[in-house]
Amino acid sequence: MRATRLRSNHVPALRMYLEQEPDTNLFLLDLLRTRGIGNWTQEEWYAVWSPDHPDQNGATIRGMALLIGRAAMGQPARLGVPFGDPDACEVIGARARWNGPVDMLIGPRTASDALWRGLKGTPPTVFYDQRLYVCREPSPGPRLPLRPARTDEIPLIIEMAGQMMSEDLGVDPRRKEPNRHRQAIRHRVDEGRTLVGEQDGEIAFLLDVGTRRREGAQVGGTFVPPRFRGQGLSVMGMRAACDRLLREMEMVSLHVNEANVPAVRCYQRAGFQRDVPFRLLIR
């Protein structure tokens, strides 16, 4: 097997391959639709083909991976997202490691583990069993009214999002990459992708909407400040978010650390169902 760097002419074959599991591959399908391949300098798309000739008629993809955010050769990519046959993903990792390391991987469990082996990274500081959860109909029960976050709330949201990542990943972006963290928050707020719910005039629930396609939306960054926890606000907020997104989309998905039992119970109570096992690895 050999890994091939994909080009724009490979888009139809790659799209067909990823659409075999659209719930799993929402993020990749959305990037492929909005950016294509080769139109963004910090994105590397790789695949292993079967048979091993990417331009041969009838060739199909056996495994693929996207690496995002490598500023220059030898510098780390910020994120890797694999999918497909583990042997193929390991070959892709071996091919990609010559360009530099990867800071974080997230994807189906066996594919992510194989890509990491191919990259020959050091033992990760974070190695989480995650699970994809999917909601097509939220559960009955009370809803927390939600609205898009305002620009004047950005400083507070920067702090909340930083606290959320510190609790979930043990990494505080306010210290590690403060400028990138602030820019990401501002970008999401400006695009109306950050939703908030209030209690007693304060933000008591925070949620980011990432991928948005007709086939589905992917959400993350869920956070309830400590003083508002234990009141069921996260369940009410998730129900409301699903109500809002399912008006235009077929389903809502998210990733959750399976060891985070309170979060798992929250999402299940809101109407989410277990789906594909995922892995999160951080260098």
Side-chain angles (χ1 to χ4, degrees):
M1 285 188 290
R2 65 186 177 92
T4 303
R5 182 82 178 262
L6 298 183
R7 305 299 177 191
S8 58
N9 61 301
H10 296 130
V11 167
L14 181 57
R15 182 185 298 115
M16 184 179 300
Y17 179 67
L18 295 174
E19 285 176 347
Q20 295 178 77
E21 295 186 27
D23 292 3
T24 303
N25 295 315
L26 269 180
F27 174 72
L28 293 170
L29 285 165
D30 188 52
L31 283 186
L32 202 59
R33 175 178 60 87
T34 56
R35 296 183 182 175
I37 294 177
N39 298 320
W40 194 258
T41 57
Q42 294 187 9
E43 291 178 1
E44 306 163 25
W45 296 82
Y46 296 96
V48 168
W49 297 77
S50 181
D52 195 15
H53 299 287
D55 298 319
Q56 176 180 323
N57 291 335
T60 57
I61 294 175
R62 182 170 173 178
M64 63 76 57
L66 168 65
L67 305 183
I68 301 174
R70 194 188 308 282
M73 185 70 71
Q75 295 296 309
R78 288 188 294 108
L79 174 66
V81 186
F83 175 69
D85 176 75
D87 290 339
C89 290
E90 186 167 353
V91 169
I92 292 170
R95 161 71 171 81
R97 74 169 178 258
W98 298 107
N99 292 344
V102 180
D103 283 341
M104 179 168 66
L105 297 185
I106 185 166
R109 200 167 293 172
T110 56
S112 294
D113 290 348
L115 184 62
W116 190 268
R117 285 196 302 272
L119 288 165
K120 295 190 181 302
T122 57
T125 58
V126 171
F127 185 84
Y128 285 169
D129 287 339
Q130 288 203 319
R131 177 72 60 168
L132 181 71
Y133 273 76
V134 173
C135 179
R136 289 183 168 83
E137 182 177 356
S139 62
R143 269 69 168 156
L144 180 68
L146 301 181
R147 60 169 175 80
R150 302 189 306 264
T151 55
D152 64 287
E153 294 169 326
I154 287 176
L156 177 59
I157 293 171
I158 287 171
E159 295 304 311
M160 288 184 173
Q163 185 177 346
M164 181 273 298
M165 291 186 67
S166 296
E167 292 178 1
D168 283 359
L169 305 177
V171 176
D172 190 340
R174 294 168 295 183
R175 294 179 173 84
K176 185 177 181 181
E177 296 180 305
N179 290 334
R180 178 175 287 169
H181 179 61
R182 286 193 295 269
Q183 290 169 4
I185 298 295
R186 178 171 292 279
H187 179 69
R188 287 196 294 266
V189 171
D190 288 345
E191 288 199 339
R193 290 176 177 260
T194 298
L195 302 177
V196 300
E198 294 180 312
Q199 186 87 332
D200 302 328
E202 298 181 45
I203 294 178
F205 176 83
L206 184 71
L207 175 77
D208 291 325
V209 181
T211 300
R212 294 186 292 191
R213 292 172 52 87
R214 176 60 191 156
E215 295 86 346
Q218 195 162 85
V219 300
T222 308
F223 182 73
V224 173
R227 69 181 296 263
F228 291 110
R229 294 174 187 174
Q231 303 177 39
L233 296 178
S234 58
V235 177
M236 291 189 285
M238 292 307 303
R239 288 188 186 122
C242 289
D243 284 342
R244 188 185 191 102
L245 294 168
L246 289 171
R247 294 171 194 161
E248 299 178 358
M249 298 157 196
E250 296 176 8
M251 64 90 171
V252 179
S253 68
L254 52 82
H255 304 138
V256 61
N257 178 4
E258 291 191 298
N260 189 345
V261 176
V264 170
R265 288 175 177 166
C266 162
Y267 299 136
Q268 290 176 332
R269 287 176 59 199
F272 284 82
Q273 305 294 321
R274 282 166 57 93
D275 205 290
V276 176
F278 265 59
R279 176 83 72 215
L280 173 65
L281 294 140
I282 298 179
R283 185 165 67 96

